[in-house]
Amino acid sequence: MTSPAVEYDPYVLHLPTQESPVVLSQWISPGNTHSNSRYGDAVWRLAPLIDNPSTYLAKIHWKRCPALLLDQLKLITWTMINGRLRPTHLKARGTGARARTSAHDLKETASEWMRLARWLHERRITRLADCTDHVWRAYIVERCPDVGRGHAEKICSMLTDLWAFDQLSAQPADITRPPWDIEGVDDFLPSASGSARGENSTEPLDPRVLGPLLVWAIRFVDDFADDILAAWAERCRLFAAASANQASDESHAALEEFLLPRVRSGTPLPSLHRKGRSMLARTYIAALTGASTSQVNRFAAKHQLYTLVAERPGACPLQVPIRGQIDGKPWREDIDFEEAAELMRHLGTAAAILCLYLTGMRPQEVQGLRSGCCPDPEPTADGATGRHLIRSRHYKNVTDEDGNHLSAGEDRDVPWVAITPVVHAIRVLERMVPDGELLLSARHHAFASPRDNHGALKGGSLSDRIERFVLWVNREATSLGLAHQTVPEDPHGAIGLARFRRTLAWHIARRPGGLIALAIQYGHMRTALDARTSSGYGSRSRRGIHSVLDIETALAAADTAAKLRDQTAAGEKISGPAARRALTAAATTPRFEGRIVPRTFMKKAAAFLARDGVVLFDNPDGFLICAFKRDNALCDPAPGATAPRQYDCRPGCGNAVRTDSHARLLRERAGEIDHLAAHSPGPLGRRLRANADKLRAMADYHDTTAQPAEALT
């Protein structure tokens, strides 16, 4: 029985969010071996499928698809874009299977199909129907030897979709079902090796990198922003004035008055730098003199200014006051006409860094923030000021009621708590974009070369801007004699975006009293995170950054137990009311060596931390270990808390444990404080010396009460 004829209709793409279809291209008549449309080697743009502002627009390029297989693949690809997999097909593939996936998954799948088509073409196979069981096995052996196990499994899944969507096609190509879909995929995958993949494989940023990076990011937002925004406004005004100017005798006279004295006296001429060359700043000169740019051109040619400017390039200072300071001094004398765009780009980057690191958001969520997302809180009945909350969207694993991917994401039920530096960063970004626009709008952050870009700044662009920001910071710090504030190279490579979220969890878990950018305590950040629970946000409070934080806290606790075990084995003594309990915990806690996959470890991490009384938390600022037991804790932990409030560690707590190493560090710190006291005024010096004496007393108490581990076990 022959298949029914397919009507010669427009080739359309039906979207679940639109009432009318989107015309994607012209229909290719089944049975034709060549396309009668202009899309024979064209590009299919999948823009209508993409509502995520952080994502690049996806395109399917057909030029690399063999001509004899082109029509067959196009028909199946159209079916994939326009349709959805059967529920019976999805049911056999687990909860992660989707009837309709994202535009970028569609593009990746189509690319994988074209790769198969090229392989078939090399073997003179011109019909997908000839892709038999034997051919499938030969292809997968050649395709997957050099890829990881996870990637190989994804390749098999995409090739299975080729068969599945062919079954739904108006004119099936009769592709044979892949053998791994019948026999199981394990035998077709490479052996498991290498490190596990997942969010936790992301290395945290080195503290030596993060400290100065945040210092300069906060400095840009709090100290430099007004100067930079004023300079940018002045630059835009000068551009508009230069464009509107008309040539006249008065403007010619103004040009002579402005330029000729510089030419005759040998003074540098206003210049810009392009591709390593100095060029006359025509727009700047036109705006200041009232001349048109063409009039400036004629004047420059007449007086050979283009030659002179290469020999004597000069600055183009903008007439805006400089109010920002570094160490009590203005951070620069003026802002140049040419550097205003660069400083605006760095200002946006600095604000993005603060949002990425000090919220715990995923990069996509930061890229999706819009102006107005963080309104000022309403005063409470007693006149107190509430917390700033960020209303945002999230995109990871968001689907509709039918399990289809939603590229637009959805509103987060739980708002993010914003601490002061984040609020300041958002306010600066709101001054850089129109109301209701994306805070990191690619269109409005393209200062040097304005263009009509889609959505927000993309991950690659933001990563590149962060690296350029670091280069600027290092150059500026060196020129100002602030070499100690330069940002060193991170031992694990580029800073990127995903590493901020991982670093936040790492620092909260392992550096309880450390300072963020010399001012913000990590303890305060944890309080902000825990506020979501105390504010009644319910079970959702443990999702997102909390699950990452649980993993890092569990790993930190395991490291603390291993370190204590090593110290006591080396002969160090131990003291404190919880010493015996700490030794038991150290002996029963496994040493962690290697990497983890968050999906399998999150529940284990939460269960590990829930073992009240036998989880050890290092507190380097308190010079002790906390064998956390809720009933003994003096830090007033929240009900059900599985970790102490380490920033509020108090003397006399029944959970405290010290080793000989802690006693040594106490005395070293006391010596440092004595040195400070010797160079401080009388009252302050006395307080510092009293503090140093308390630390020595703690060390002495340890020495008199400490016992070997053998005596306590």
Side-chain angles (χ1 to χ4, degrees):
M1 181 176 178
T2 59
S3 300
V6 179
E7 295 183 6
Y8 205 111
D9 289 334
Y11 193 7
V12 295
L13 173 62
H14 296 275
L15 301 179
T17 58
Q18 294 178 316
E19 295 180 0
S20 58
V22 178
V23 176
L24 186 65
S25 69
Q26 293 299 118
W27 180 260
I28 300 169
S29 176
N32 259 353
T33 56
H34 70 281
S35 170
N36 61 352
S37 74
R38 66 182 184 278
Y39 291 90
D41 59 349
V43 177
W44 288 4
R45 293 172 177 83
L46 304 182
L49 287 171
I50 302 174
D51 294 316
N52 185 337
S54 68
T55 304
Y56 289 97
L57 295 179
K59 302 175 183 178
I60 298 177
H61 295 264
W62 290 106
K63 63 183 179 181
R64 297 192 64 196
C65 183
L68 295 177
L69 292 166
L70 180 62
D71 288 351
Q72 298 173 65
L73 275 186
K74 277 191 171 182
L75 183 55
I76 301 174
T77 303
W78 179 87
T79 304
M80 174 177 65
I81 295 171
N82 206 47
R84 60 184 65 188
L85 292 170
R86 293 190 179 102
T88 52
H89 180 86
L90 298 174
K91 187 176 181 180
R93 282 155 180 77
T95 57
R98 298 285 178 259
R100 188 197 300 274
T101 59
S102 70
H104 287 276
D105 283 343
L106 298 178
K107 172 190 173 182
E108 188 178 2
T109 300
S111 297
E112 188 62 43
W113 294 353
M114 278 187 266
R115 185 169 187 153
L116 169 66
R118 292 193 296 273
W119 185 88
L120 294 173
H121 178 71
E122 290 171 1
R123 285 148 187 81
R124 300 186 178 181
I125 298 174
T126 60
R127 297 189 313 142
L128 292 177
D130 294 332
C131 192
T132 61
D133 182 273
H134 173 74
V135 173
W136 277 126
R137 293 176 187 274
Y139 176 70
I140 209 67
V141 167
E142 291 191 30
R143 176 67 180 92
C144 294
D146 298 324
V147 302
R149 187 177 176 86
H151 189 197
E153 187 172 6
K154 185 175 183 179
I155 290 170
C156 290
S157 177
M158 289 188 287
L159 295 174
T160 299
D161 286 346
L162 179 65
W163 165 78
F165 281 111
D166 183 53
Q167 302 295 302
L168 303 175
S169 172
Q171 190 173 10
D174 296 327
I175 303 169
T176 303
R177 185 178 181 182
W180 51 84
D181 197 53
I182 302 171
E183 304 170 14
V185 74
D186 281 349
D187 291 341
F188 296 86
L189 302 179
S191 59
S193 61
S195 61
R197 298 183 65 188
E199 185 177 20
N200 206 62
S201 65
T202 303
E203 292 288 349
L205 292 168
D206 190 290
R208 293 168 296 181
V209 173
L210 186 62
L213 181 64
L214 285 173
V215 166
W216 282 96
I218 291 177
R219 187 173 277 161
F220 255 82
V221 168
D222 288 351
D223 300 332
F224 303 165
D226 289 341
D227 296 345
I228 294 171
L229 290 167
W232 178 251
E234 175 64 7
R235 182 182 186 272
C236 293
R237 187 192 70 80
L238 294 178
F239 258 102
S243 299
N245 286 345
Q246 300 291 326
S248 65
D249 292 340
E250 291 79 6
S251 61
H252 186 271
L255 274 175
E256 290 182 336
E257 183 180 354
F258 183 78
L259 290 173
L260 289 183
R262 288 174 165 80
V263 172
R264 292 164 183 159
S265 64
T267 304
L269 298 172
S271 64
L272 305 176
H273 300 279
R274 296 289 184 272
K275 298 180 179 180
R277 296 175 55 197
S278 295
M279 304 174 63
L280 194 68
R282 298 176 304 160
T283 301
Y284 178 78
I285 294 170
L288 293 185
T289 61
S292 67
T293 52
S294 58
Q295 191 175 22
V296 174
N297 277 335
R298 292 192 295 271
F299 188 91
K302 178 180 178 181
H303 295 279
Q304 299 181 340
L305 300 187
Y306 293 121
T307 302
L308 291 176
V309 76
E311 301 170 357
R312 291 185 268 151
C316 304
L318 294 171
Q319 299 304 308
V320 295
I322 300 299
R323 296 186 172 89
Q325 296 185 344
I326 297 178
D327 294 339
K329 300 177 182 178
W331 66 293
R332 59 184 49 227
E333 294 181 4
D334 52 57
I335 295 177
D336 195 83
F337 178 83
E338 183 178 26
E339 72 171 341
E342 179 188 14
L343 290 175
M344 281 291 284
R345 186 172 63 247
H346 292 324
L347 178 60
T349 303
I353 288 171
L354 296 180
C355 292
L356 284 164
Y357 181 60
L358 298 180
T359 62
M361 292 184 185
R362 290 186 172 89
Q364 281 188 335
E365 295 170 15
V366 173
Q367 290 165 290
L369 293 178
R370 290 186 177 273
S371 176
C373 66
C374 184
D376 290 329
E378 296 289 337
T380 59
D382 58 359
T385 302
R387 294 183 181 277
H388 281 87
L389 301 177
I390 302 175
R391 304 287 176 179
S392 64
R393 298 179 73 81
H394 68 112
Y395 302 90
K396 186 175 181 179
N397 298 329
V398 177
T399 58
D400 62 17
E401 58 186 10
D402 296 323
N404 298 316
H405 170 77
L406 289 179
S407 66
E410 64 182 3
D411 293 331
R412 244 181 94 89
D413 293 338
V414 182
W416 294 95
V417 178
I419 59 177
T420 301
V422 176
V423 177
H424 290 175
I426 289 175
R427 294 293 177 263
V428 165
L429 291 171
E430 286 175 333
R431 295 167 67 183
M432 299 172 73
V433 301
D435 291 343
E437 181 59 87
L438 292 165
L439 292 180
L440 296 175
S441 166
R443 178 184 307 166
H444 297 97
H445 281 264
F447 303 106
S449 53
R451 59 190 70 178
D452 190 17
N453 288 328
H454 160 77
L457 292 170
K458 305 306 183 285
S461 177
L462 273 173
S463 296
D464 179 67
R465 288 180 181 226
I466 291 172
E467 296 301 323
R468 294 189 182 198
F469 179 73
V470 169
L471 290 175
W472 185 95
V473 162
N474 289 343
R475 207 165 47 239
E476 192 77 3
T478 301
S479 68
L480 294 174
L482 302 173
H484 61 288
Q485 293 187 19
T486 57
V487 181
E489 185 175 348
D490 191 279
H492 297 292
I495 293 173
L497 303 185
R499 297 179 69 186
F500 286 106
R501 176 178 162 90
R502 172 59 54 195
T503 309
L504 172 64
W506 190 93
H507 274 287
I508 294 172
R510 300 169 189 252
R511 292 181 168 243
L515 297 182
I516 299 178
L518 309 181
I520 307 159
Q521 290 184 354
Y522 287 109
H524 292 173
M525 173 60 72
R526 181 145 198 165
T527 300
L529 291 169
D530 290 340
R532 277 173 280 178
T533 303
S534 60
S535 299
Y537 293 130
S539 62
R540 287 292 299 275
S541 65
R542 299 303 300 173
R543 294 182 60 185
I545 187 64
H546 277 277
S547 60
V548 181
L549 181 56
D550 280 348
I551 292 173
E552 290 295 347
T553 304
L555 293 177
D559 289 346
T560 301
K563 184 178 179 180
L564 178 62
R565 195 161 57 241
D566 293 342
Q567 288 174 327
T568 54
E572 288 201 30
K573 296 179 181 179
I574 185 171
S575 70
R580 193 182 304 276
R581 184 154 43 88
L583 288 173
T584 301
T588 57
T589 300
R591 184 186 297 270
F592 177 77
E593 295 178 350
R595 294 201 181 281
I596 57 175
V597 180
R599 291 182 182 176
T600 62
F601 194 74
M602 285 178 182
K603 291 183 179 180
K604 293 181 180 179
F608 176 88
L609 296 174
R611 303 177 306 142
D612 190 38
V614 292
V615 182
L616 306 183
F617 295 88
D618 186 28
N619 190 342
D621 290 343
F623 303 99
L624 54 80
I625 293 172
C626 175
F628 180 62
K629 188 176 180 64
R630 278 191 299 275
D631 293 342
N632 296 351
L634 298 182
C635 59
D636 193 23
T642 58
R645 297 182 186 273
Q646 290 165 285
Y647 58 89
D648 195 23
C649 190
R650 302 183 186 183
C653 180
N655 293 331
V657 179
R658 283 198 173 93
T659 65
D660 292 343
S661 293
H662 289 122
R664 186 184 71 255
L665 292 171
L666 282 166
R667 290 193 172 88
E668 289 178 2
R669 180 57 181 156
E672 293 172 0
I673 294 175
D674 278 340
H675 180 73
L676 290 174
H679 297 83
S680 300
L684 178 58
R686 286 193 295 272
R687 286 196 294 271
L688 288 171
R689 280 188 287 273
N691 191 15
D693 291 341
K694 287 180 182 179
L695 297 183
R696 289 193 188 91
M698 292 179 186
D700 292 341
Y701 181 78
H702 166 82
D703 290 343
T704 58
T705 60
Q707 301 181 63
E710 296 80 8
L712 295 172
T713 55

